[in-house]
């Protein structure tokens, strides 16, 4: 027996003094109201109504039980109202600045189908981690080493010109003797990749192949780095999806397998689990995960 539904029928019938009118007020068939009240009487072991052909009257037991039944119905209505409000409460999620508008909008739309009202908050890698620690967001997509991460985004170098090669080698930025006086080509690292597991590996490779320190440069903004690349022969470290958005030609690094790694940080284990399990593919599209790569469980 559904105790709340039975009490709703009991309160409605008692308030109108009629099974027919009470059932209509409760928006249920009269037969359903009768069954629910009969089940409630069986549950309590006493009759709630004295029935006659003309009227329905509360028994003394029914009068004693009516206030409690009303409180239960009102509490159930309050609970349902609070549940709807809770589902509409924004779920603030810190996301990388590199997430494009359309994938983010699709992510928000898909989350709503799961009764999750996401409110994306774009931020850099360090800020996202701090927002999660300070509980200023419910959850954050944080940068982690790609090994064992939930989402992995391959990185390569992108430039204005299409060299036709299947990979680009950092050592090709090394100036020849005839070019010693010319401006040396650079590889730009955008703020999203200014993390040890990306930045340090690339700078170590640059040292190994003999590049000048300034030839691998961390930019303070993606727009500034992209502008340098679009106006020169420099290269931008980025994902393939970013290169496509910027109109650049992307190729993987020949000497090194670099990738961004992402996971979920949240104060609540339940919040982290919801983000990982409800929306893995949509989040992957926002981050630039290749369609064929999938998402680690």
């Amino acid at each position: 027996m559904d105790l709340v539904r039975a009490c709703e029928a009991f309160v409605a019938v008692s308030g109108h003094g009629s099974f027919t009118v009470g059932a209509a007020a409760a928006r249920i068939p009269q037969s359903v109201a009768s069954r629910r009240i009969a089940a409630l009487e069986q549950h309590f072991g006493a009759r709630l109504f004295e029935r006659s052909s003309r009227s329905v009257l509360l028994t003394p037991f029914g009068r004693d039980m009516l206030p409690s039944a009303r409180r239960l119905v009102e509490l159930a209505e309050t609970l349902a109202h609070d549940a709807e409000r809770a589902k509409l409460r924004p779920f603030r999620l810190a996301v990388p600045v590199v997430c494009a508008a359309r994938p983010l909008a699709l992510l928000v739309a898909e989350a709503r189908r799961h009764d999750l009202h996401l409110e994306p908050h774009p931020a850099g890698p360090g800020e996202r981690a701090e927002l999660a620690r300070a509980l200023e967001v419910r959850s954050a997509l944080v940068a982690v080493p790609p090994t064992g991460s939930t989402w992995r985004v391959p990185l390569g170098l992108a430039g204005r010109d299409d060299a036709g090669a299947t990979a680009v080698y950092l050592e090709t930025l090394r100036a020849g003797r005839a070019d010693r006086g010319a401006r040396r080509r650079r590889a730009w690292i955008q703020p999203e990749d200014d993390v040890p597991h990306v930045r340090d590996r690339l700078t170590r490779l640059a040292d190994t192949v003999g590049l000048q320190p300034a030839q691998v440069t961390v930019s303070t903004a993606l727009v500034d780095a992209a502008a340098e690349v679009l106006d020169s022969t420099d290269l931008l470290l980025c994902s393939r999806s970013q290169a496509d958005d910027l109109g650049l030609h992307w190729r993987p690094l020949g000497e090194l397998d670099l990738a961004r790694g992402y996971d979920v940080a949240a104060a609540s284990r339940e919040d982290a689990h919801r983000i990982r399990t409800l929306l893995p593919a949509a989040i992957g599209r926002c981050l630039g995960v290749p369609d064929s790569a999938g998402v680690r469980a």
Side-chain angles (χ1 to χ4, degrees), residues 18-239:
S18 165
F19 273 84
T20 302
V21 180
R27 298 181 180 179
I28 56 176
Q30 180 179 339
S31 59
V32 173
S34 297
R35 283 199 303 272
R36 288 179 179 176
I37 291 173
L40 194 59
E41 290 175 329
Q42 183 177 4
H43 176 74
F44 290 139
R47 295 184 66 81
L48 297 167
F49 292 108
E50 292 292 349
R51 300 164 176 83
S52 70
S53 58
R54 294 184 178 180
S55 64
V56 176
L57 298 175
L58 285 166
T59 64
F61 176 76
R63 285 194 296 272
D64 289 342
M65 295 302 298
L66 184 59
S68 297
R70 283 196 180 118
R71 287 196 297 271
L72 179 59
V73 171
E74 289 169 358
L75 184 60
E77 290 173 350
T78 301
L79 184 62
H81 176 70
D82 289 347
E84 289 301 316
R85 288 184 60 190
K87 287 190 284 187
L88 293 172
R89 184 164 64 93
F91 187 110
R92 202 162 184 239
L93 175 68
V95 301
V97 175
V98 297
C99 293
R102 177 174 170 77
L104 268 181
L106 291 171
L107 170 64
V108 171
E110 183 172 337
R112 286 177 181 173
R113 291 193 286 271
H114 294 283
D115 294 324
L116 184 64
H117 286 250
L118 280 185
E119 185 180 278
H121 180 81
E127 185 184 356
R128 295 196 303 274
E130 181 55 34
L131 286 169
R133 281 194 294 269
L135 304 181
E136 293 185 37
V137 294
R138 291 271 298 273
S139 189
L141 301 178
V142 293
V144 298
T147 303
S149 61
T150 302
W151 296 275
R152 185 181 188 277
V153 183
L155 293 173
L157 291 172
R160 184 182 62 184
D161 301 319
D162 184 5
T166 57
V168 59
Y169 290 82
L170 200 65
E171 65 178 6
T172 60
L173 274 65
R174 190 172 59 231
R177 290 185 178 180
D179 301 322
R180 291 289 170 84
R183 178 188 181 278
R184 301 194 180 192
R185 297 174 68 200
R186 295 182 180 183
W188 290 89
I189 299 175
Q190 58 184 291
E192 185 61 25
D193 298 316
D194 188 13
V195 290
H197 56 271
V198 175
R199 178 196 62 233
D200 294 353
R201 294 186 68 200
L202 191 65
T203 53
R204 283 198 297 268
L205 174 60
D207 291 340
T208 301
V209 300
L211 299 188
Q212 295 295 318
Q215 285 187 266
V216 174
T217 304
V218 177
S219 175
T220 57
L222 171 59
V223 171
D224 293 340
E228 292 284 350
V229 172
L230 289 166
D231 194 42
S232 69
T233 59
D234 288 354
L235 299 171
L236 175 68
L237 183 71
C238 63
S239 66

